[in-house]
Amino acid sequence: MQKSDYLKDFEEHLKVLSEEGYDIDDERFKHVKGLSMLLMHAHDAIKSMFLIENCAKYEIEGSSEEHLLQQALFRNAVLNYAKCFSQSGKGRITLDKNDIYKDMSALKDVHDQVMNLRNKFFAHSDDSGLDYVSLATKEEINHIVVKQLYTIVVPLNEFPKYVTLFKFCGDAIAEKIQKSFSSIERRLGKKVHGFGGC
């Protein structure tokens, strides 16, 4: 099976920067590149949480479609956040919760809750408490009627603690990037003008 090349137009995207004299993927910034990928995951997690607040603009408030959209955005937020702490591929960086949340037991607990949601609901199918299927049966004289009921729970009341967690993680990554820039500055004897956080 041939591997898909989703980034086949990648070079065209970067052509403008190359033409302006930028070196793409300078090896001296390899660690910053890895951290930058994590920063994008944290950014996407935060953005997804804020988009949930606007679901009523796209679907009828209280409808099953609105709940499905909220759940899809929540799934995106959780999976993006979890990528920061999950086993990574070649050249990718993984964060350690004990490093990021040292002396922050409350945030470490929220982190564990999010990873539990990732492992039991969003990435796998286990009892998470977020969805439930019931079958209602009604027996008549000549037949049995079976109805399927699917319940989706979107824990909107818990979202503020998840947003706090995702922002803290993004800020911690941005701090690591700034430390890397400082190290590069000392090593090269030149000021590095970097980018901001999420």
Short mmCIF file of all heavy atoms in Angstrom, two decimals, residues 154-183:
data_model
loop_
_atom_site.label_atom_id
_atom_site.label_comp_id
_atom_site.label_asym_id
_atom_site.label_seq_id
_atom_site.Cartn_x
_atom_site.Cartn_y
_atom_site.Cartn_z
N VAL A 154 -22.46 15.91 27.06
CA VAL A 154 -21.40 16.87 26.80
C VAL A 154 -21.21 17.64 28.11
O VAL A 154 -22.07 18.43 28.48
CB VAL A 154 -21.75 17.82 25.64
CG1 VAL A 154 -20.60 18.78 25.38
CG2 VAL A 154 -22.08 17.02 24.38
N PRO A 155 -20.11 17.39 28.84
CA PRO A 155 -19.94 17.96 30.18
C PRO A 155 -19.56 19.45 30.16
O PRO A 155 -18.46 19.84 30.57
CB PRO A 155 -18.83 17.10 30.77
CG PRO A 155 -18.01 16.71 29.59
CD PRO A 155 -18.98 16.54 28.45
N LEU A 156 -20.48 20.28 29.67
CA LEU A 156 -20.22 21.72 29.54
C LEU A 156 -19.79 22.35 30.87
O LEU A 156 -18.95 23.25 30.88
CB LEU A 156 -21.46 22.43 29.00
CG LEU A 156 -21.89 22.06 27.58
CD1 LEU A 156 -23.24 22.70 27.25
CD2 LEU A 156 -20.84 22.46 26.56
N ASN A 157 -20.33 21.86 31.97
CA ASN A 157 -19.99 22.43 33.27
C ASN A 157 -18.53 22.18 33.67
O ASN A 157 -18.00 22.87 34.53
CB ASN A 157 -20.92 21.89 34.36
CG ASN A 157 -20.83 20.37 34.49
OD1 ASN A 157 -20.71 19.65 33.50
ND2 ASN A 157 -20.90 19.89 35.71
N GLU A 158 -17.89 21.20 33.04
CA GLU A 158 -16.49 20.90 33.34
C GLU A 158 -15.51 21.61 32.41
O GLU A 158 -14.31 21.58 32.62
CB GLU A 158 -16.25 19.39 33.28
CG GLU A 158 -17.03 18.61 34.32
CD GLU A 158 -16.78 17.11 34.25
OE1 GLU A 158 -15.95 16.66 33.43
OE2 GLU A 158 -17.44 16.38 35.02
N PHE A 159 -16.03 22.26 31.38
CA PHE A 159 -15.16 22.86 30.37
C PHE A 159 -14.21 23.92 30.91
O PHE A 159 -13.06 23.99 30.46
CB PHE A 159 -15.98 23.40 29.21
CG PHE A 159 -16.47 22.33 28.26
CD1 PHE A 159 -16.28 20.98 28.53
CD2 PHE A 159 -17.13 22.67 27.10
CE1 PHE A 159 -16.74 20.00 27.67
CE2 PHE A 159 -17.58 21.70 26.22
CZ PHE A 159 -17.39 20.37 26.51
N PRO A 160 -14.62 24.77 31.86
CA PRO A 160 -13.67 25.77 32.35
C PRO A 160 -12.37 25.17 32.90
O PRO A 160 -11.29 25.71 32.63
CB PRO A 160 -14.46 26.51 33.44
CG PRO A 160 -15.89 26.38 33.00
CD PRO A 160 -15.97 25.00 32.40
N LYS A 161 -12.45 24.05 33.59
CA LYS A 161 -11.21 23.46 34.11
C LYS A 161 -10.36 22.88 32.99
O LYS A 161 -9.13 22.90 33.08
CB LYS A 161 -11.50 22.42 35.20
CG LYS A 161 -12.16 21.14 34.73
CD LYS A 161 -12.43 20.20 35.89
CE LYS A 161 -13.09 18.92 35.44
NZ LYS A 161 -13.41 18.05 36.58
N TYR A 162 -10.99 22.41 31.92
CA TYR A 162 -10.22 21.89 30.79
C TYR A 162 -9.52 23.04 30.05
O TYR A 162 -8.37 22.91 29.65
CB TYR A 162 -11.11 21.10 29.84
CG TYR A 162 -11.77 19.89 30.48
CD1 TYR A 162 -13.08 19.55 30.17
CD2 TYR A 162 -11.10 19.11 31.40
CE1 TYR A 162 -13.70 18.45 30.76
CE2 TYR A 162 -11.71 18.01 31.99
CZ TYR A 162 -13.01 17.69 31.66
OH TYR A 162 -13.60 16.61 32.25
N VAL A 163 -10.24 24.15 29.87
CA VAL A 163 -9.64 25.32 29.22
C VAL A 163 -8.44 25.80 30.04
O VAL A 163 -7.38 26.11 29.49
CB VAL A 163 -10.67 26.44 29.01
CG1 VAL A 163 -10.00 27.73 28.56
CG2 VAL A 163 -11.73 26.01 28.00
N THR A 164 -8.60 25.86 31.36
CA THR A 164 -7.49 26.26 32.24
C THR A 164 -6.29 25.33 32.05
O THR A 164 -5.15 25.79 31.94
CB THR A 164 -7.94 26.26 33.71
OG1 THR A 164 -9.00 27.20 33.86
CG2 THR A 164 -6.81 26.61 34.65
N LEU A 165 -6.55 24.03 32.00
CA LEU A 165 -5.49 23.04 31.80
C LEU A 165 -4.78 23.25 30.47
O LEU A 165 -3.55 23.29 30.40
CB LEU A 165 -6.09 21.63 31.86
CG LEU A 165 -5.10 20.48 31.67
CD1 LEU A 165 -4.30 20.26 32.95
CD2 LEU A 165 -5.84 19.21 31.27
N PHE A 166 -5.56 23.39 29.40
CA PHE A 166 -4.98 23.53 28.07
C PHE A 166 -4.15 24.81 27.96
O PHE A 166 -3.08 24.82 27.36
CB PHE A 166 -6.07 23.51 26.99
CG PHE A 166 -6.91 22.25 26.97
CD1 PHE A 166 -8.15 22.24 26.35
CD2 PHE A 166 -6.47 21.07 27.57
CE1 PHE A 166 -8.92 21.10 26.31
CE2 PHE A 166 -7.25 19.92 27.54
CZ PHE A 166 -8.48 19.93 26.91
N LYS A 167 -4.65 25.90 28.56
CA LYS A 167 -3.91 27.16 28.52
C LYS A 167 -2.61 27.04 29.32
O LYS A 167 -1.56 27.53 28.87
CB LYS A 167 -4.76 28.30 29.10
CG LYS A 167 -5.81 28.81 28.16
CD LYS A 167 -6.55 29.98 28.79
CE LYS A 167 -7.57 30.57 27.85
NZ LYS A 167 -8.28 31.70 28.48
N PHE A 168 -2.67 26.41 30.48
CA PHE A 168 -1.47 26.24 31.29
C PHE A 168 -0.43 25.44 30.52
O PHE A 168 0.76 25.78 30.50
CB PHE A 168 -1.81 25.54 32.62
CG PHE A 168 -0.67 25.50 33.58
CD1 PHE A 168 -0.50 26.52 34.52
CD2 PHE A 168 0.26 24.48 33.56
CE1 PHE A 168 0.57 26.50 35.41
CE2 PHE A 168 1.33 24.44 34.44
CZ PHE A 168 1.48 25.46 35.37
N CYS A 169 -0.88 24.38 29.86
CA CYS A 169 0.02 23.55 29.06
C CYS A 169 0.64 24.37 27.93
O CYS A 169 1.85 24.32 27.71
CB CYS A 169 -0.75 22.35 28.50
SG CYS A 169 0.25 21.25 27.48
N GLY A 170 -0.18 25.15 27.22
CA GLY A 170 0.33 25.98 26.14
C GLY A 170 1.35 26.99 26.63
O GLY A 170 2.38 27.21 26.00
N ASP A 171 1.07 27.58 27.79
CA ASP A 171 2.01 28.55 28.37
C ASP A 171 3.33 27.86 28.76
O ASP A 171 4.40 28.43 28.58
CB ASP A 171 1.40 29.23 29.59
CG ASP A 171 0.28 30.20 29.23
OD1 ASP A 171 0.16 30.56 28.03
OD2 ASP A 171 -0.49 30.58 30.13
N ALA A 172 3.23 26.64 29.29
CA ALA A 172 4.44 25.90 29.67
C ALA A 172 5.28 25.56 28.44
O ALA A 172 6.51 25.65 28.47
CB ALA A 172 4.07 24.62 30.42
N ILE A 173 4.61 25.22 27.33
CA ILE A 173 5.33 24.93 26.09
C ILE A 173 5.99 26.21 25.57
O ILE A 173 7.16 26.20 25.17
CB ILE A 173 4.38 24.34 25.03
CG1 ILE A 173 3.85 22.98 25.49
CG2 ILE A 173 5.10 24.21 23.68
CD1 ILE A 173 2.67 22.47 24.68
N ALA A 174 5.24 27.32 25.59
CA ALA A 174 5.80 28.60 25.13
C ALA A 174 7.02 28.99 25.96
O ALA A 174 8.01 29.49 25.43
CB ALA A 174 4.73 29.70 25.21
N GLU A 175 6.97 28.70 27.26
CA GLU A 175 8.12 28.98 28.14
C GLU A 175 9.32 28.12 27.75
O GLU A 175 10.46 28.59 27.72
CB GLU A 175 7.72 28.73 29.59
CG GLU A 175 8.78 29.12 30.59
CD GLU A 175 8.32 28.88 32.03
OE1 GLU A 175 7.18 29.26 32.36
OE2 GLU A 175 9.11 28.31 32.80
N LYS A 176 9.07 26.85 27.42
CA LYS A 176 10.15 25.97 26.98
C LYS A 176 10.76 26.48 25.67
O LYS A 176 11.97 26.39 25.47
CB LYS A 176 9.64 24.53 26.82
CG LYS A 176 9.37 23.83 28.12
CD LYS A 176 8.85 22.42 27.86
CE LYS A 176 8.67 21.65 29.14
NZ LYS A 176 9.92 21.37 29.84
N ILE A 177 9.92 27.00 24.78
CA ILE A 177 10.42 27.54 23.52
C ILE A 177 11.31 28.74 23.81
O ILE A 177 12.40 28.87 23.23
CB ILE A 177 9.25 27.91 22.58
CG1 ILE A 177 8.59 26.62 22.06
CG2 ILE A 177 9.72 28.79 21.43
CD1 ILE A 177 7.30 26.84 21.29
N GLN A 178 10.87 29.63 24.69
CA GLN A 178 11.67 30.81 25.03
C GLN A 178 13.01 30.40 25.65
O GLN A 178 14.04 31.01 25.35
CB GLN A 178 10.89 31.74 25.96
CG GLN A 178 9.72 32.44 25.29
CD GLN A 178 10.11 33.17 24.01
OE1 GLN A 178 11.12 33.86 23.95
NE2 GLN A 178 9.31 32.99 22.97
N LYS A 179 13.01 29.38 26.49
CA LYS A 179 14.26 28.89 27.08
C LYS A 179 15.18 28.33 26.00
O LYS A 179 16.40 28.53 26.04
CB LYS A 179 13.99 27.83 28.14
CG LYS A 179 13.44 28.40 29.43
CD LYS A 179 13.17 27.31 30.46
CE LYS A 179 12.63 27.90 31.75
NZ LYS A 179 12.30 26.88 32.74
N SER A 180 14.60 27.65 25.03
CA SER A 180 15.40 27.12 23.92
C SER A 180 16.00 28.26 23.10
O SER A 180 17.16 28.20 22.71
CB SER A 180 14.55 26.22 23.02
OG SER A 180 14.18 25.05 23.69
N PHE A 181 15.19 29.30 22.84
CA PHE A 181 15.72 30.46 22.13
C PHE A 181 16.88 31.10 22.90
O PHE A 181 17.90 31.46 22.31
CB PHE A 181 14.63 31.51 21.89
CG PHE A 181 13.66 31.19 20.77
CD1 PHE A 181 12.37 31.69 20.79
CD2 PHE A 181 14.04 30.41 19.69
CE1 PHE A 181 11.49 31.42 19.77
CE2 PHE A 181 13.17 30.14 18.66
CZ PHE A 181 11.88 30.64 18.70
N SER A 182 16.73 31.22 24.21
CA SER A 182 17.80 31.81 25.04
C SER A 182 19.07 30.98 24.96
O SER A 182 20.18 31.53 24.87
CB SER A 182 17.34 31.93 26.50
OG SER A 182 16.29 32.86 26.61
N SER A 183 18.92 29.67 24.99
CA SER A 183 20.08 28.78 24.88
C SER A 183 20.77 28.94 23.53
O SER A 183 22.01 28.99 23.45
CB SER A 183 19.62 27.33 25.08
OG SER A 183 20.68 26.44 24.88
#
